[in-house]
Protein backbone atom coordinates (compact mmCIF):
# COMPACT_ATOMS: atom_id res chain seq x y z
CA UNK A 1 0.00 0.00 0.00
CA UNK A 2 1.18 3.49 -0.82
CA UNK A 3 2.25 5.78 1.99
CA UNK A 4 2.26 9.05 0.08
CA UNK A 5 -1.02 11.00 -0.04
CA UNK A 6 -0.85 11.59 -3.78
CA UNK A 7 -0.33 7.89 -4.45
CA UNK A 8 -3.26 6.96 -2.25
CA UNK A 9 -5.43 9.42 -4.18
CA UNK A 10 -4.19 7.98 -7.50
CA UNK A 11 -5.20 4.49 -6.36
CA UNK A 12 -8.71 5.75 -5.56
CA UNK A 13 -8.94 7.53 -8.93
CA UNK A 14 -7.80 4.46 -10.82
CA UNK A 15 -10.33 2.26 -9.03
CA UNK A 16 -13.13 4.70 -9.84
CA UNK A 17 -12.13 4.99 -13.51
CA UNK A 18 -11.85 1.21 -13.83
CA UNK A 19 -15.34 0.77 -12.37
CA UNK A 20 -16.82 3.35 -14.76
CA UNK A 21 -15.03 1.95 -17.84
CA UNK A 22 -16.14 -1.57 -16.96
CA UNK A 23 -19.74 -0.34 -16.98
CA UNK A 24 -19.35 0.98 -20.52
CA UNK A 25 -17.81 -2.26 -21.75
CA UNK A 26 -20.54 -4.31 -20.07
CA UNK A 27 -23.25 -2.14 -21.64
CA UNK A 28 -22.04 -2.51 -25.22
CA UNK A 29 -21.33 -6.23 -24.85
CA UNK A 30 -24.78 -6.98 -23.48
CA UNK A 31 -26.40 -4.95 -26.27
CA UNK A 32 -24.43 -6.79 -28.97
CA UNK A 33 -25.28 -10.18 -27.48
CA UNK A 34 -28.95 -9.22 -27.38
CA UNK A 35 -28.87 -8.24 -31.07
CA UNK A 36 -27.10 -11.45 -32.04
CA UNK A 37 -29.67 -13.61 -30.27
CA UNK A 38 -32.89 -11.77 -31.17
CA UNK A 39 -31.94 -10.55 -34.68
CA UNK A 40 -34.25 -7.54 -34.17
CA UNK A 41 -33.69 -4.19 -35.90
CA UNK A 42 -34.97 -2.27 -32.85
CA UNK A 43 -32.27 -3.89 -30.74
CA UNK A 44 -29.78 -3.07 -33.48
CA UNK A 45 -30.61 0.64 -33.18
CA UNK A 46 -30.07 0.50 -29.41
CA UNK A 47 -26.78 -1.31 -29.89
CA UNK A 48 -25.64 1.32 -32.41
CA UNK A 49 -26.46 4.06 -29.93
CA UNK A 50 -24.59 2.31 -27.11
CA UNK A 51 -21.53 1.58 -29.26
CA UNK A 52 -21.44 5.17 -30.55
CA UNK A 53 -21.65 6.60 -27.04
CA UNK A 54 -18.84 4.36 -25.79
CA UNK A 55 -16.67 5.33 -28.79
CA UNK A 56 -17.41 9.03 -28.39
CA UNK A 57 -16.30 8.90 -24.76
CA UNK A 58 -13.00 7.41 -25.88
CA UNK A 59 -13.49 4.05 -24.17
CA UNK A 60 -13.31 2.26 -27.53
CA UNK A 61 -11.51 3.12 -30.74
CA UNK A 62 -13.77 4.50 -33.47
CA UNK A 63 -12.61 1.86 -35.97
CA UNK A 64 -13.52 -0.92 -33.54
CA UNK A 65 -16.94 0.66 -33.05
CA UNK A 66 -17.52 0.79 -36.80
CA UNK A 67 -16.34 -2.79 -37.19
CA UNK A 68 -18.75 -3.98 -34.48
CA UNK A 69 -21.65 -2.10 -36.03
CA UNK A 70 -20.88 -3.55 -39.45
CA UNK A 71 -20.77 -7.09 -38.12
CA UNK A 72 -24.01 -6.61 -36.22
CA UNK A 73 -25.74 -5.31 -39.34
CA UNK A 74 -24.49 -8.30 -41.31
CA UNK A 75 -25.85 -10.65 -38.65
CA UNK A 76 -29.28 -9.01 -38.68
CA UNK A 77 -29.43 -9.01 -42.49
CA UNK A 78 -28.48 -12.68 -42.66
CA UNK A 79 -31.05 -13.58 -39.99
CA UNK A 80 -28.64 -16.19 -38.69
CA UNK A 81 -27.08 -15.99 -35.25
CA UNK A 82 -23.34 -15.45 -35.37
CA UNK A 83 -21.15 -17.40 -33.01
CA UNK A 84 -20.14 -15.21 -30.08
CA UNK A 85 -16.47 -15.46 -29.21
CA UNK A 86 -16.34 -15.30 -25.42
CA UNK A 87 -12.55 -15.66 -25.36
CA UNK A 88 -12.04 -12.46 -27.37
CA UNK A 89 -9.50 -10.79 -25.11
CA UNK A 90 -8.32 -13.70 -22.97
CA UNK A 91 -4.87 -15.17 -23.33
CA UNK A 92 -4.29 -18.88 -23.50
Amino acid sequence: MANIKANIKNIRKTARRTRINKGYVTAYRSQTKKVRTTQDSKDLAKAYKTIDSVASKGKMHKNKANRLKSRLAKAVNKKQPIKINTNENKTK
Side-chain angles (χ1 to χ4, degrees), residues 43-89:
D43 292 333
L44 182 66
K46 288 181 184 177
Y48 273 20
K49 185 176 180 181
T50 305
I51 291 170
D52 285 336
S53 69
V54 172
S56 69
K57 289 175 181 18
K59 308 305 178 192
M60 177 193 310
H61 197 274
K62 65 179 183 176
N63 290 352
K64 179 177 179 177
N66 290 332
R67 184 175 64 240
L68 284 172
K69 292 192 299 185
S70 172
R71 289 179 181 171
L72 285 175
K74 277 185 183 178
V76 170
N77 289 335
K78 267 188 169 180
K79 297 289 185 189
Q80 294 175 353
I82 292 178
K83 181 182 173 187
I84 299 171
N85 186 3
T86 56
N87 298 328
E88 185 178 3
N89 292 327

Side-chain angles (χ1 to χ4, degrees), residues 1-16:
M1 187 67 190
N3 293 327
I4 299 170
K5 278 186 175 183
N7 290 349
I8 294 170
K9 182 178 179 180
N10 285 335
I11 290 170
R12 284 196 317 261
K13 287 183 346 188
T14 302
R16 180 177 184 271

